[in-house]
């Protein structure tokens, strides 16, 4: 570790063998490697490939009219309760064929590729029937590729109660547990189970029941927690050793302490906070005090964060939430890897990890956070191959 916690190396060399990092150090210590192909970075900064650990980028439709309505005074909860919000995207996503869904999602994925992102999370949750949830997850899996992007998939069937189960949320949770979860596990379509514990989502009790079932299938859990109110979601997430509790604006210090003990990452989503014009800030000082790792993501979704801009999310994490530029950078690298449970494979430039790399024409890594410009990506590599 050197200055600022990033481990900067000004005459660094990184060696890649068979898609993995096989040596990192200073040029003066470089052992001779016969027949190695050299790449001169010409003074650019080499960083890990970036990671967005919270997106909903597979969806159809557009919700700009809701943004307009919110600006005229309608709240997000009111829009949801009137059948809009998540349910409006559910309708559009159900109507789209699998190919159509792939076609509209692919350009969003490319936006991330162009920012040096090499690993991304994509959640289901806009289908809410067995078939349409499977469709979303198949599209998410298809978007993944060894040549550009690792995709980690979250089953978010517990996003909101679908129209078929209006007033019967308990029955819908049973439907997820008995009809959706077994098939998803059998077809290996999800890497973890997620839920939205919120007044417009599900109660803590319903979430517990779902998470207990997820554990029976050996699936880790993550949670949309304490975004709009304090339902003690982060504390519940910690009870289940969740990989991450995301949003956490209303999370108490007691819950933060529980997250620390459980190793649960705090997933910060400043673009959603900004877009909903929220005012309750996440407990950054408490997260620091208890050494809870903080990840930063776009939350890319059509309703509360229609953004594919991870660099902007980093800037917002610093400007709106007060993260230092180093914290924001760790939020899209090693801490994002932890939120996905893959910190032994990606997220830092260490021997043995995947050679997922991004190279930047910048004066210093803090420039990625401290400027709101188009990405200055020079090149990126996936598993050691130039993208
Ligand atoms: N993530 C979500 O899943 C919900 N809010 C958030 O930040 C709702 C997304 C939506 O309105 O479609
Ligand atoms: Fe989300």
């Amino acid at each position: 570790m050197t200055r600022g916690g990033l481990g900067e190396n000004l005459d660094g060399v990184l060696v890649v063998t068979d898609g993995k990092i096989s040596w990192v150090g200073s040029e003066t210590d470089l052992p001779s490697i016969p027949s190695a192909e050299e790449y001169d970075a010409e003074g650019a900064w080499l960083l890990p490939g970036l990671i967005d650990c919270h997106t909903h980028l597979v969806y159809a439709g557009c919700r700009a009219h809701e943004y307009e309505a919110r600006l005229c005074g309608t709240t997000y909860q009111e829009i949801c309760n009137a059948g809009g919000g998540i349910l409006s995207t559910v309708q559009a996503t159900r109507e789209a064929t699998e190919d159509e869904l792939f076609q509209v999602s692919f350009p969003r994925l490319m936006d991330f590729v162009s920012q040096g992102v090499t690993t991304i999370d994509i959640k289901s949750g806009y289908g809410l029937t067995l078939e349409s949830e499977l469709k979303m997850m198949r599209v998410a899996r298809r978007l993944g590729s060894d040549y550009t992007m690792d995709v980690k998939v979250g089953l978010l069937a517990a996003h909101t109660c679908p129209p078929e189960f209006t007033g019967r949320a308990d029955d819908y949770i049973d439907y997820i547990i008995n009809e959706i979860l077994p098939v998803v596990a059998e077809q290996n379509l999800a890497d973890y189970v997620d839920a939205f514990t919120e007044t417009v989502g599900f109660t803590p009790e319903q979430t517990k029941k779902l998470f207990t079932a997820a554990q029976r299938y050996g699936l880790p859990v993550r949670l949309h927690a304490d975004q709009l109110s304090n339902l003690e979601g982060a504390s519940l997430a910690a009870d289940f050793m969740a990989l991450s509790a995301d949003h956490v604006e209303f999370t108490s210090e007691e819950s933060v302490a529980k997250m620390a003990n459980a190793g649960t990452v705090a997933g910060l989503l400043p673009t959603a906070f900004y877009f909903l014009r929220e005012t309750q800030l996440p407990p950054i000082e408490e997260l620091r005090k208890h050494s809870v790792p903080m990840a930063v993501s776009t939350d890319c979704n059509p309703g509360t964060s229609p953004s594919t801009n991870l660099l902007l999310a980093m800037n917002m994490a610093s400007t709106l939430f007060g993260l230092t530029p180093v914290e924001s950078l760790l939020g899209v690298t090693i801490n994002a890897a932890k939120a996905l449970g893959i910190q032994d494979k990606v997220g830092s430039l260490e021997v043995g990890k995947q050679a997922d790399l991004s190279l930047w024409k910048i004066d210093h890594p803090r420039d990625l956070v401290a400027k709101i410009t188009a990405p200055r990506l020079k090149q990126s590599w996936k598993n050691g191959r130039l993208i």
Side-chain angles (χ1 to χ4, degrees):
M1 271 313 187
T2 55
R3 272 183 293 153
L6 285 179
E8 299 166 19
N9 189 337
L10 295 181
D11 70 340
V13 176
L14 182 140
V15 181
V16 175
T17 311
D18 296 332
K20 294 227 164 74
I21 300 172
S22 55
W23 192 88
V24 195
S26 293
E27 199 171 359
T28 43
D29 304 326
L30 181 67
S32 107
I33 305 169
S35 74
E37 196 183 314
E38 272 181 43
Y39 182 97
D40 183 357
E42 295 168 341
W45 280 87
L46 187 68
L47 302 183
L50 304 187
I51 301 173
D52 191 326
C53 66
H54 184 141
T55 89
H56 308 247
L57 79 77
V58 171
Y59 64 81
C62 170
R63 309 234 302 266
H65 57 285
E66 290 182 6
Y67 177 70
E68 228 169 341
R70 284 207 311 278
L71 288 171
C72 295
T74 316
T75 68
Y76 177 69
Q77 287 93 328
E78 282 165 353
I79 292 169
C80 289
N81 292 336
I86 296 171
L87 286 180
S88 109
T89 303
V90 167
Q91 193 182 340
T93 304
R94 283 182 181 178
E95 282 166 8
T97 65
E98 193 161 326
D99 271 340
E100 284 165 353
L101 208 47
F102 183 88
Q103 295 306 331
V104 293
S105 304
F106 186 75
R108 293 194 273 265
L109 188 87
M110 289 302 115
D111 287 349
F112 285 99
V113 171
S114 73
Q115 294 163 74
V117 176
T118 47
T119 300
I120 200 163
D121 155 80
I122 302 179
K123 302 173 199 304
S124 72
Y126 290 122
L128 315 184
T129 61
L130 172 63
E131 260 324 303
S132 54
E133 286 289 294
L134 294 179
K135 176 177 73 178
M136 285 189 75
M137 286 184 279
R138 282 194 299 264
V139 170
R141 285 271 188 245
R142 224 173 108 196
L143 288 167
S145 141
D146 281 353
Y147 298 97
T148 48
M149 189 79 87
D150 278 333
V151 173
K152 293 289 163 193
V153 181
L155 170 65
L156 181 60
H159 200 184
T160 197
C161 198
E164 297 78 9
F165 286 87
T166 302
R168 296 188 296 127
D170 285 327
D171 292 346
Y172 178 58
I173 291 290
D174 288 340
Y175 171 77
I176 299 175
I177 293 171
N178 299 324
E179 309 292 332
I180 300 185
L181 202 46
V183 183
V184 169
E186 220 266 315
Q187 299 186 8
N188 192 24
L189 277 174
D191 300 297
Y192 32 79
V193 170
D194 203 327
F196 191 23
T197 302
E198 191 51 70
T199 47
V200 294
F202 295 90
T203 65
E205 280 311 313
Q206 289 158 345
T207 309
K208 266 185 218 166
K209 197 169 176 194
L210 175 66
F211 280 7
T212 305
Q215 285 185 333
R216 283 201 296 273
Y217 289 96
L219 285 166
V221 299
R222 304 180 62 192
L223 189 63
H224 286 69
D226 309 332
Q227 177 188 13
L228 308 167
S229 60
N230 183 6
L231 294 184
E232 300 288 350
S235 155
L236 187 159
D239 286 340
F240 284 84
M241 310 297 278
L243 291 171
S244 75
D246 297 353
H247 290 290
V248 300
E249 275 88 341
F250 284 84
T251 299
S252 66
E253 179 165 1
E254 216 182 321
S255 301
V256 168
K258 284 183 68 178
M259 288 171 70
N261 284 331
T264 299
V265 172
L268 303 176
L269 305 169
T271 324
F273 170 91
Y274 158 82
F275 199 70
L276 288 176
R277 303 205 294 170
E278 293 293 329
T279 52
Q280 174 72 38
L281 289 164
I284 302 301
E285 264 322 311
E286 287 77 4
L287 291 166
R288 283 184 184 133
K289 181 175 147 194
H290 293 273
S291 305
V292 173
M294 294 182 277
V296 174
S297 323
T298 59
D299 197 15
C300 170
N301 78 66
T304 64
S305 188
S307 165
T308 50
N309 197 331
L310 186 59
L311 296 172
L312 182 62
M314 291 156 71
N315 174 267
M316 287 186 176
S318 289
T319 305
L320 300 175
F321 293 171
L323 266 61
T324 64
V326 168
E327 285 173 328
S328 288
L329 284 160
L330 296 176
V332 297
T333 51
I334 191 66
N335 289 346
K338 285 181 189 162
L340 298 175
I342 51 174
Q343 66 273 25
D344 55 334
K345 294 198 180 81
V346 292
S348 59
L349 303 181
E350 288 178 273
V351 171
K353 287 196 172 184
Q354 283 175 210
D356 288 1
L357 315 168
S358 59
L359 185 67
W360 302 87
K361 283 193 275 187
I362 49 178
D363 294 331
H364 187 271
R366 76 171 75 85
D367 296 2
L368 293 185
V369 184
K371 291 183 181 172
I372 314 175
T373 52
R376 293 284 185 262
L377 184 68
K378 185 169 149 75
Q379 251 321 325
S380 53
W381 289 259
K382 181 72 187 159
N383 293 310
R385 285 190 216 97
L386 208 56
I387 293 179

